[in-house]
Amino acid sequence: MIQHRRRGPARQAIRKRTVVTAAFVGTIALGTGVGVWASADGGARPQEGARHSSSGRVSGADPAQPGAPSASPSPSRSYPLSRAPRTIPAVRSHTPARGPGWRPRSGERVVVSDAGLADEGRLVAGELGLTYAGATDEVRTGDVRLALGGGGNGESYTMTVRNGRVDISGPAEAGVFYGTRTLKQEVHGGGTAPEGVVRDEPAKPVRGFMLDIARKPYSESWIEDRIRELGDLKFNELGLHFSDDQAFRIQSSTHPEIVSPDHLTKAQVGKIVELANSRHITVVPEIDSPGHLGAVIAAHPDLQLRNANGVATRGAIDISKPGSAKIVDDLLNEYAGLFTGGQWNLGGDEYQALTVKDPQASYPQLAAAARQRYGSGGTVADLATGWLNDRADTIRAHGRTMRAWNDGFFRGTSAQPAKDLQVAYWTGKEIGARQPAEYLSAGRKVVNYNDEFLYYVLGQPQTFVYPTGQRIYEQWNPRVVRGTTAVPARYDGQVLGGTFAVWGDFPHAQTQDQVAAGVRMPLRATVQKLWDPGTPALSWADFRKLADRLG
């Protein structure tokens, strides 16, 4: 994608986040079709010793402000209706109630209903300075209780703050984890989680961040810091593009000769994957092919694609040679054991043999292989499509769901891309570019990587500029797949979500720390629009202030 040419186990404690006060009184429901799912005891008076409580989207109120809950509630005191929580992303619904809310205090506990929630329980207990008490049916005032239950979206959760304690439940562990992220933001910096009930779930199942570690290496610790950040923001994918023309960045046992000196070991990648799993983040690997294989070709020059004049084609492997398929399949099979998540990116973009005026004339060996496989009308585009399908067969055997870049799908070919391939749509600048609706109308599912909003290309080559959080927040939503125009609403269900991508075209243009700072607000804006694509309740200025206060 520009992508390439253009787009250029130890769990660690997560530092607490600053909490913002302020919110709206009353029931807040954000997003299309989302209403109030639950109610709380309006008018309830606090019990003796009731704790400050937590819920939904605002970080708790500042006790120094008028109307904030008292640190030592009196049995005779009544409370105003709670204010909706403010978090990033914003919760979809909050039902207010009267009460003091909840704050973490030394000696209080996190308990779980099911041993499967032990990881989530230990993590939030450590973050909030509480005691992890394990699985128990006994609950006390001050407890945070995590429970599995209910049906529906596995990433949904309900958080109830009432009677001096917090109950977070969801149909699956992921949703319960997201509830703990909401609670963490609410009480960070001494804030109070407001009384009431939060009901929350994401609009889109794919909320991703992609990192090009092939052209710019990043340290293990830097990647782990991003995973913690992504987890707190309720992202659920981390893409790793680790093979390109410039380098191959992960240790290999099947082909050690292709690995660059500056690389991650498998043990390091294993720790990254384990940490991501603990935050319910799927690591999505990408070994791009049949283009962007320069690092592989450097060790195997016999596999380099050459044109009719014998001139080498940069980064392109000769897909008419059996050895090309063997080495790529060796790598795909090897890394399927390292990356254990259910998603895989096959690449498929910018194969240079298909960027010339007459591929058949320029690459006669590819044309001959195409005719042999597909008959007299076979073309180089057919052969490239067959290559993609063959690699899909390799990965499908490992039970993965696959995507490929949109310019790896060709129109007018006798060979058709496998029906289960999702489209990672990043650009409309390639030769023969097609609008997203063409893929959608054919029934394809699409992941939005819109390069005009979601591409952070180091050095800003060609027409690329560093994206801003404000532009994403105010102008983008998941249906804006290409350019600035949204696809028709009837396709909304086929747009699975989106991914913010960092590409290393000019790797020295920014340091790791500068990249982290540069993507900070764009990541927050992106996840807000993936969690709830509607117009946000906060202005950009207020959203930025909220982000600063949450840390």
Side-chain angles (χ1 to χ4, degrees):
M1 332 236 4
I2 131 171
Q3 173 181 328
H4 315 316
R5 194 172 37 134
R6 296 195 281 275
R7 67 182 179 215
R11 308 200 195 284
Q12 303 183 22
I14 299 177
R15 62 186 179 82
K16 295 184 179 179
R17 296 184 178 275
T18 312
V19 171
V20 63
T21 62
F24 299 78
V25 174
T27 298
I28 303 297
L30 299 178
T32 304
V34 178
V36 178
W37 293 304
S39 61
D41 295 334
R45 290 179 179 270
Q47 302 296 316
E48 181 67 28
R51 307 295 187 184
H52 292 300
S53 108
S54 99
S55 111
R57 170 174 73 149
V58 99
S59 58
D62 182 342
Q65 294 187 4
S70 165
S72 301
S74 161
S76 62
R77 181 179 173 184
S78 63
Y79 295 93
L81 281 173
S82 60
R83 299 174 294 179
R86 287 207 187 159
T87 57
I88 296 176
V91 301
R92 305 290 295 275
S93 175
H94 174 252
T95 302
R98 300 183 189 278
W102 179 92
R103 286 181 181 174
R105 300 193 181 193
S106 178
E108 291 176 345
R109 312 180 307 167
V110 174
V111 299
V112 299
S113 68
D114 187 288
L117 292 171
D119 290 345
E120 289 76 15
R122 289 192 180 98
L123 177 62
V124 74
E127 292 168 336
L128 302 186
L130 306 177
T131 298
Y132 177 66
T136 178
D137 293 330
E138 176 202 9
V139 290
R140 305 173 184 168
T141 298
D143 279 353
V144 174
R145 182 176 183 270
L146 311 182
L148 294 174
N153 186 340
E155 293 188 306
S156 66
Y157 67 92
T158 300
M159 180 162 63
T160 303
V161 178
R162 184 185 296 151
N163 298 328
R165 75 168 199 257
V166 182
D167 289 279
I168 300 172
S169 64
E173 293 172 18
V176 174
F177 172 73
Y178 295 142
T180 68
R181 300 308 86 193
T182 295
L183 178 62
K184 180 185 176 184
Q185 288 193 26
E186 288 174 334
V187 303
H188 176 69
T192 299
E195 204 87 4
V197 180
V198 165
R199 288 280 230 157
D200 203 14
E201 65 178 341
K204 293 298 179 182
V206 175
R207 305 177 302 282
F209 173 61
M210 200 229 72
L211 186 65
D212 172 10
I213 66 172
R215 281 171 286 191
K216 181 178 179 66
Y218 292 83
S219 68
E220 175 190 0
S221 62
W222 190 94
I223 296 171
E224 289 174 342
D225 284 345
R226 299 290 73 70
I227 289 171
R228 296 184 187 95
E229 179 181 16
L230 295 171
D232 281 356
L233 293 170
K234 305 185 178 95
F235 279 90
N236 64 0
E237 283 192 0
L238 169 64
L240 288 182
H241 174 88
F242 62 91
S243 169
D244 213 302
D245 296 340
Q246 294 79 359
F248 192 100
R249 297 288 187 189
I250 297 179
Q251 175 187 3
S252 172
S253 56
T254 60
H255 291 282
E257 74 280 0
I258 70 174
V259 179
S260 303
D262 191 352
H263 66 271
L264 295 171
T265 67
K266 286 189 175 180
Q268 288 175 312
V269 174
K271 290 179 181 178
I272 288 168
V273 170
E274 182 177 1
L275 179 63
N277 288 343
S278 76
R279 267 62 174 181
H280 296 275
I281 294 170
T282 298
V283 181
V284 184
E286 181 194 0
I287 301 175
D288 203 350
S289 78
H292 298 287
L293 284 172
V296 173
I297 293 167
H300 295 271
D302 56 307
L303 300 180
Q304 175 93 54
L305 178 64
R306 296 181 179 275
N307 68 14
N309 297 319
V311 177
T313 303
R314 184 174 184 269
I317 203 165
D318 189 334
I319 59 177
S320 69
K321 294 184 175 182
S324 296
K326 182 182 184 306
I327 194 170
V328 173
D329 282 346
D330 285 347
L331 295 169
L332 294 175
N333 285 319
E334 176 181 0
Y335 290 109
L338 182 62
F339 295 99
T340 55
Q343 304 291 324
W344 198 283
N345 190 339
L346 293 170
D349 67 303
E350 295 184 329
Y351 189 46
Q352 298 301 304
L354 291 166
T355 64
V356 298
K357 184 177 180 179
D358 188 346
Q360 282 65 236
S362 295
Y363 298 96
Q365 77 277 34
L366 299 184
R371 290 192 297 270
Q372 182 178 6
R373 181 167 181 176
Y374 297 105
S376 60
T379 65
V380 175
D382 286 320
L383 195 67
T385 300
W387 169 277
L388 186 65
N389 287 341
D390 291 344
R391 307 294 76 75
D393 289 344
T394 300
I395 289 298
R396 191 181 294 106
H398 295 281
R400 304 300 201 267
T401 297
M402 299 159 293
R403 68 189 64 160
W405 301 111
N406 62 286
D407 51 331
F409 293 77
F410 308 106
R411 66 151 65 96
T413 54
S414 56
Q416 293 297 307
K419 292 185 181 301
D420 59 346
L421 285 178
Q422 298 173 356
V423 178
Y425 199 103
W426 70 280
T427 192
K429 302 181 178 73
E430 76 276 13
I431 296 173
R434 287 178 282 170
Q435 293 289 340
E438 187 169 336
Y439 300 90
L440 294 163
S441 64
R444 297 276 180 188
K445 294 179 179 179
V446 170
V447 179
N448 186 336
Y449 290 76
N450 188 329
D451 65 347
E452 293 194 26
F453 286 92
L454 306 178
Y455 261 35
Y456 194 96
V457 186
L458 297 189
Q460 303 183 106
Q462 300 183 39
T463 60
F464 285 93
V465 296
Y466 293 128
T468 67
Q470 182 173 1
R471 187 163 183 257
I472 295 168
Y473 190 77
E474 295 178 343
Q475 299 180 33
W476 181 82
N477 68 63
R479 287 198 292 115
V480 180
V481 180
R482 172 179 173 176
T484 59
T485 303
V487 299
R490 65 180 178 274
Y491 296 127
D492 184 64
Q494 291 172 243
V495 180
L496 300 179
T499 296
F500 186 91
V502 174
W503 296 103
D505 290 46
F506 290 91
H508 302 298
Q510 290 190 342
T511 66
Q512 289 188 150
D513 288 345
Q514 287 173 324
V515 173
V519 303
R520 181 178 177 275
M521 288 309 301
L523 282 177
R524 284 152 177 78
T526 299
V527 80
Q528 172 59 47
K529 302 305 280 290
L530 290 169
W531 196 266
D532 184 350
T535 302
L538 298 181
S539 68
W540 169 251
D542 286 341
F543 183 82
R544 187 177 185 95
K545 289 177 184 176
L546 174 61
D548 290 343
R549 298 188 70 174
L550 292 176

